[in-house]
């Protein structure tokens, strides 16, 4: 009798899942971010979510859950029901860095999520407080090497792409910029503007307004190629640091077990939104290039290819978090 009951339950579940996928979405969708308001994740989410909600025919609720280097937000989504109503806007940290940085995680970034699509990509910007009196990347390299340990750089947290960009800068230049972590990109920019730190490797949405007002000075991006969204800013290679190539991205993820039909629905809707000229323009105004994946499988493959790069930088940084 018990065997029959279990078999009946399995049959009912297998029938209910396709039906739920067909009716998806039938209620609001929560998109969880691992960062506070005012940062790059928040900017990207608020730029695309209204259009995505219109495309899906349901409200999308942005839920900022900062903390533990994005692990709080990731854990919430990893443990959520795999029904498409709880999604993660993840990035290099949640799905490239943290597995190497944290000794213990309550979830597996590579196994407990289904990648849907990358949303946007952006270089980091090397920016300095105007009080340093420098205007080029070579000026910064010279200054840092002449004053080892005297200058600080801000990041959005230990093990963040911003932090690891600073590690790579020190490695390539022989410099000794001292890392000062903050709880998000916005606080790190505020600290650099105030002069509490002198240098930052910031995402464009966070630093753009400060660059435009002159409260920060941009020296270059952190990539080999000049960015199409920041065409007036030299790349690191153009500025004389040829092997410096670090950028950051954000993408959508669903919990493991989410039906393929729902993942496909979310992928198709997001691709359509990111293809709209006005959405591309709004993202570009904040320094973000709309860069969707060719498919969920292609996004998954890109994550696996990128992972060793971040693991190497984490080892170079010497950073670990219990």
């Amino acid at each position: 009798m018990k065997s029959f009951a279990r078999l009946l339950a399995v049959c009912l579940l297998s029938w209910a899942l396709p039906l739920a996928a067909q009716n998806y979405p039938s209620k609001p969708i929560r998109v969880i971010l691992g960062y506070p308001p005012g940062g790059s994740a928040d900017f990207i989410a608020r730029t695309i979510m209204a259009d995505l909600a219109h495309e899906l025919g349901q409200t999308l609720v942005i839920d900022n859950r900062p903390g533990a280097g994005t692990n709080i937000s990731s854990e919430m989504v990893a443990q959520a029901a795999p029904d498409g109503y709880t999604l993660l806007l993840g990035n290099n940290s949640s799905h490239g860095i943290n597995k190497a940085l944290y000794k213990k995680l309550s979830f597996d970034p590579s196994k407990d999520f289904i990648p849907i699509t990358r949303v946007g990509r952006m270089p980091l910007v090397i920016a300095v407080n105007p009080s340093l009196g420098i205007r080029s990347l070579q000026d910064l390299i010279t200054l840092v090497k002449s004053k080892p340990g005297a200058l600080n750089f801000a990041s959005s947290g230990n093990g963040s792409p911003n932090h690891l960009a600073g590690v790579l800068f020190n490695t390539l230049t022989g410099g000794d910029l001292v890392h000062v972590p903050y709880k998000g990109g916005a606080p790190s920019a505020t600290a650099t503007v105030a002069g509490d730190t002198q240098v930052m490797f910031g995402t464009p949405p966070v630093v753009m307004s400060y660059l435009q007002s002159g409260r920060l000075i941009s020296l270059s991006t952190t990539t080999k190629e000049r960015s199409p969204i920041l065409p007036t800013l030299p790349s690191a290679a153009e500025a004389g640091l040829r092997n410096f190539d670090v950028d950051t991205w954000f993408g959508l993820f669903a919990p493991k077990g989410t039906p393929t039909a729902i993942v496909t629905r979310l992928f198709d809707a997001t691709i359509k939104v990111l293809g709209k000229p006005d959405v591309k323009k709004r993202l570009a105004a904040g320094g973000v290039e709309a860069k969707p994946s060719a498919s969920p499988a292609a996004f998954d493959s890109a994550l696996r290819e990128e992972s060793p790069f971040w693991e190497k930088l984490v080892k170079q940084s010497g950073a670990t978090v219990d």
Side-chain angles (χ1 to χ4, degrees), residues 17-249:
L17 284 176
L19 181 61
Q22 289 173 16
N23 295 332
Y24 178 84
S26 59
K27 62 182 181 180
I29 300 167
R30 183 167 59 146
V31 181
I32 300 180
L33 321 181
Y35 295 95
S40 299
D42 198 60
F43 165 75
I44 291 172
R46 296 185 189 282
T47 300
I48 70 169
M49 289 309 166
D51 289 84
L52 190 54
H54 177 77
E55 190 63 34
L56 291 169
Q58 278 293 340
T59 301
L60 272 79
V61 179
I62 299 171
D63 188 352
N64 298 87
R65 296 297 182 105
T70 74
N71 288 332
I72 291 174
S73 60
S74 295
E75 182 178 35
M76 290 177 67
V77 177
Q79 296 177 354
D83 55 11
Y85 292 103
T86 304
L87 305 176
L88 175 72
L89 185 66
N91 69 339
N92 314 61
S93 289
S94 65
H95 284 77
I97 295 171
N98 287 356
K99 194 171 182 178
L101 181 67
Y102 287 81
K103 293 180 179 179
K104 295 180 181 179
L105 290 175
S106 61
F107 58 91
D108 189 327
S110 61
K111 295 180 180 179
D112 291 340
F113 299 87
I114 296 178
I116 300 170
T117 181
R118 183 176 54 219
V119 172
R121 196 157 205 160
M122 69 200 96
L124 300 176
V125 176
I126 304 175
V128 298
N129 186 287
S131 65
L132 290 185
I134 60 176
R135 292 294 185 273
S136 74
L137 185 57
Q138 287 300 320
D139 287 344
L140 176 62
I141 293 170
T142 300
L143 181 62
V144 171
K145 293 179 75 171
S146 71
K147 296 181 177 181
L151 300 178
N152 301 324
F153 79 94
S155 83
S156 57
N158 280 314
S160 64
N162 321 66
H163 171 202
L164 298 182
V167 170
L168 184 58
F169 175 88
N170 282 340
T171 299
L172 294 176
T173 64
D176 186 20
L177 278 174
V178 178
H179 177 227
V180 181
Y182 290 86
K183 294 181 178 180
S188 70
T190 300
T192 309
V193 169
D196 298 329
T197 56
Q198 295 77 44
V199 184
M200 69 178 298
F201 302 81
T203 56
V206 169
V207 301
M208 291 284 276
S209 63
Y210 295 118
L211 299 177
Q212 291 165 355
S213 66
R215 288 180 288 175
L216 289 176
I217 303 297
S218 59
L219 305 181
S220 76
T221 67
T222 58
T223 50
K224 287 184 177 181
E225 304 293 333
R226 186 172 291 227
S227 170
I229 54 172
L230 298 171
T232 62
L233 197 58
S235 68
E238 290 174 313
L241 201 53
R242 296 192 177 280
N243 294 321
F244 198 24
D245 194 19
V246 179
D247 64 6
T248 190
W249 53 262

